[in-house]
Amino acid sequence: MPVSTTPTLSFDDYVGHDATSLASLVRTGQVSPAELLETAIARAEAVNPALNAIVTPLYDKGRAMATQLPAAGPFRGVPFLLKDLELEWAGTPLKSGCRGYQNYVSSVDSEVVKRLKAAGLVLFGKTNTPEFGLTPYTESTLYGPARNPWNPAYSPGGSSGGSAVAVASGIVPAATASDGGGSIRIPASCCGLFGFKPSRGRVTLGPGYSEMWGGAVVSHAVTRSVRDSAGLLDVVSGPLAGDPYGIAPPERPFAEEVGREPGRLRVAFSTQALMQGQPTDPVCVKAVRDTVRLLETLGHTVEEVPLPYEKTIVTQAFFLNVLSETAATLRELANYLGRPLRRDDVELNTWALSRMAAGYSAGDVTYQKRRWNALNRSMGQLHETYDVFLTPTLPRSPIAIGTFQNTAAEERMLKLADAVSGLKYLKGSRMVDELAEKSLNYISYTVITNMTGQPSMSVPLHGSADRLPIGVMFAAKLGDDATLFRLAGQLEQAQPWFDKRPAL
């Protein structure tokens, strides 16, 4: 029997609920999964042409899924979107923001997708991402820019920018996101959402991957409420046979941590800029200091500390990881295509990163990866004294679209160097140092916990004078996701953000 395409739940009613609440409406028979889906599709059709959040609409697959849901599940009937990167959904395209993968269709489900389906979520599309998730903004040549619903001239961040736009604009209450250098927390900060990066090993990347980016990447979601993030992590967490990392299971479901008293936490904070000559924006400093005062009113002890790491951990140790991983990614693309890559298979910057990697030796890569240990130890020592570490999520407020695109001179220089096969000889050059600082300064706070594997969250407590969201970021010791959820629940109660939405 055909499914009606007319939504029967108003958008105002729909957007007033988080995923947990929508699932409750379904369980109690107040609304059907099909009705929720049609409301979500209607919202997508209304705002997506302007915002470019969804790049692969799969509405008919969603409609079929809404009629074949499991009998039970904590999120049964809730509309949901997948980021178009890493997660395989059998029978659907997975383009990763790349022209070379335009014809790729997944043949299997990733384990996380299986778990999301088992939880009763209704998948109906894929969201915008930069090519291979390589940038902290979402402006791929293939898809075009995703636009921040708070101001479409601004970026929603990246690489989970499309998912963040879809949630912030009210298409869905939550969507998948992944984080290899800040890609959950950055768009959460830019779009006024809650973004939680779980501990390394908490969420499997299998069966397609054992680890990505040397253990830096983890998969989860962006949400409007803390309890949705916790409940979704309960759904997707847990190992898969063959995973390379082991982590202790939580003492109780993360959903039960939200609302529990966090106790009197010892909080360290810093607003120190990592890159000399690139100070932290005063609005981001103010957001942290306002958060310090809020924490103190809640009974926590707070102390300012210097950053417990130095910039070459990011500009050298992490940057070489990006270069080498990009080269490996393009080798996989060539294998898929069954031929040597051509320059027009990928974007110029992606091509340049992979060619730069050829100038480094296996010893260079291993040496820089070993330097991650110094960061692990310094952060471990900090958490012997402090329960959580507070910083800005980003060193500046949301950027205008195009801010980090190559200048005309940079574009000419990269093309010229590539034309004479010179990119691999740039090792140690000032050009590489400048590229590393330009590309990594924006993620200088977020990337640290990707390297250490610690849990971290961006909390949408503040905004700029021009009404753009400003997040603040907390980190806890490896494996202590529960403390962050307890603190996040307390902050959400003390300074609610759920009803703060862009006027669209």
Side-chain angles (χ1 to χ4, degrees):
M1 185 175 72
V3 177
S4 169
T5 58
T6 302
T8 57
L9 183 73
S10 74
F11 172 70
D12 287 341
D13 288 338
Y14 173 76
V15 80
H17 296 273
D18 65 359
T20 303
S21 180
L22 290 176
S24 177
L25 295 180
V26 171
R27 273 194 305 275
T28 55
Q30 297 177 63
V31 68
S32 72
E35 289 170 334
L36 290 183
L37 178 61
E38 296 307 327
T39 303
I41 290 173
R43 180 61 173 173
E45 292 290 280
V47 301
N48 199 60
L51 300 179
N52 199 24
I54 300 173
V55 292
T56 307
L58 298 164
Y59 299 160
D60 287 343
K61 287 186 74 69
R63 288 175 175 128
M65 185 178 290
T67 66
Q68 302 168 9
L69 293 173
F75 293 104
R76 185 177 184 274
V78 176
F80 198 69
L81 294 166
L82 300 182
K83 178 181 178 180
D84 189 32
L85 188 69
E86 298 155 12
L87 293 180
E88 304 264 5
W89 176 12
T92 69
L94 180 59
K95 300 180 184 180
S96 304
C98 176
R99 289 186 293 258
Y101 279 119
Q102 284 193 75
N103 297 319
Y104 180 85
V105 176
S106 298
S107 59
V108 298
D109 284 347
S110 296
E111 180 63 23
V112 163
V113 172
K114 291 179 181 179
R115 294 174 184 181
L116 293 170
K117 288 180 176 180
L121 290 157
V122 179
L123 314 181
F124 69 102
K126 304 282 187 78
T127 62
N128 203 343
T129 183
E131 187 168 65
F132 302 122
L134 285 172
T135 62
Y137 51 92
T138 304
E139 301 173 23
S140 73
T141 301
L142 178 63
Y143 293 143
R147 296 184 177 276
N148 195 319
W150 293 89
N151 184 333
Y154 284 79
S155 172
S159 63
S160 307
S163 287
V165 173
V167 176
S169 65
I171 297 173
V172 287
T176 67
S178 53
D179 195 314
S183 292
I184 291 173
R185 293 157 291 157
I186 292 168
S189 178
C190 292
C191 294
L193 304 175
F194 181 69
F196 192 95
K197 183 194 84 68
S199 289
R200 179 179 297 156
R202 185 71 71 195
V203 181
T204 182
L205 296 174
Y209 302 95
S210 58
E211 66 172 18
M212 299 185 71
W213 286 30
V217 171
V218 65
S219 183
H220 185 36
V222 285
T223 63
R224 288 174 59 206
S225 71
V226 175
R227 68 178 184 176
D228 277 358
S229 184
L232 285 166
L233 189 54
D234 287 330
V235 163
V236 300
S237 65
L240 183 67
D243 283 353
Y245 301 108
I247 189 169
E251 180 179 348
R252 61 183 67 85
F254 292 118
E256 294 181 12
E257 301 292 357
V258 181
R260 292 178 69 91
E261 283 295 321
R264 186 175 183 178
L265 298 176
R266 301 163 298 169
V267 182
F269 81 95
S270 181
T271 60
Q272 179 185 340
L274 186 63
M275 310 291 183
Q276 290 184 355
Q278 300 185 58
T280 305
D281 190 321
V283 72
C284 300
V285 173
K286 181 179 184 300
V288 169
R289 295 196 175 276
D290 288 348
T291 303
V292 166
R293 287 188 284 273
L294 175 60
L295 291 167
E296 289 173 336
T297 65
L298 293 171
H300 305 298
T301 60
V302 189
E303 182 178 349
E304 188 168 9
V305 300
L307 286 181
Y309 43 85
E310 52 91 23
K311 78 169 188 176
T312 62
I313 287 288
V314 176
T315 60
Q316 295 177 12
F318 188 75
F319 187 62
L320 185 50
N321 183 62
V322 173
L323 295 183
S324 59
E325 289 286 335
T326 303
T329 295
L330 295 202
R331 183 175 295 186
E332 290 176 339
L333 175 57
N335 291 341
Y336 161 71
L337 293 173
R339 58 168 172 78
L341 282 192
R342 295 190 293 261
R343 164 64 193 83
D344 62 357
D345 289 322
V346 296
E347 296 175 10
L348 175 60
N349 285 12
T350 305
W351 180 267
L353 290 173
S354 70
R355 292 302 182 262
M356 287 179 194
Y360 294 83
S361 68
D364 292 330
V365 175
T366 302
Y367 171 75
Q368 292 295 350
K369 186 61 166 68
R370 287 183 178 181
R371 291 186 65 202
W372 291 28
N373 178 61
L375 179 61
N376 292 333
R377 302 304 170 185
S378 63
M379 291 298 285
Q381 289 168 7
L382 179 141
H383 285 291
E384 288 181 348
T385 303
Y386 302 100
D387 299 300
V388 295
F389 182 40
L390 165 66
T391 65
T393 304
L394 292 166
R396 57 191 291 186
S397 56
I399 59 172
I401 288 172
T403 296
F404 289 145
Q405 292 295 335
N406 293 342
T407 64
E410 289 168 337
E411 195 88 356
R412 286 194 300 270
M413 187 163 27
L414 287 175
K415 289 179 178 178
L416 177 61
D418 182 50
V420 298
S421 300
L423 288 170
K424 66 182 179 182
Y425 300 114
L426 293 178
K427 173 184 175 182
S429 70
R430 183 57 194 161
M431 178 181 173
V432 171
D433 290 342
E434 290 174 353
L435 176 62
E437 291 197 12
K438 176 184 176 181
S439 61
L440 297 177
N441 178 58
Y442 196 56
I443 67 171
S444 56
Y445 292 116
T446 56
V447 70
I448 301 307
T449 52
N450 294 96
M451 298 172 76
T452 63
Q454 296 168 244
S456 177
M457 64 184 183
S458 181
V459 186
L461 294 176
H462 307 287
S464 66
D466 50 1
R467 296 193 71 250
L468 289 169
I470 303 290
V472 291
M473 189 173 70
F474 296 87
K477 66 183 179 181
L478 182 64
D480 194 15
D481 307 60
T483 289
L484 292 185
F485 276 122
R486 289 195 292 270
L487 175 59
Q490 184 185 54
L491 294 171
E492 187 179 35
Q493 288 295 313
Q495 196 166 304
W497 60 76
F498 186 83
D499 291 329
K500 296 178 181 178
R501 300 194 303 272
L504 287 174

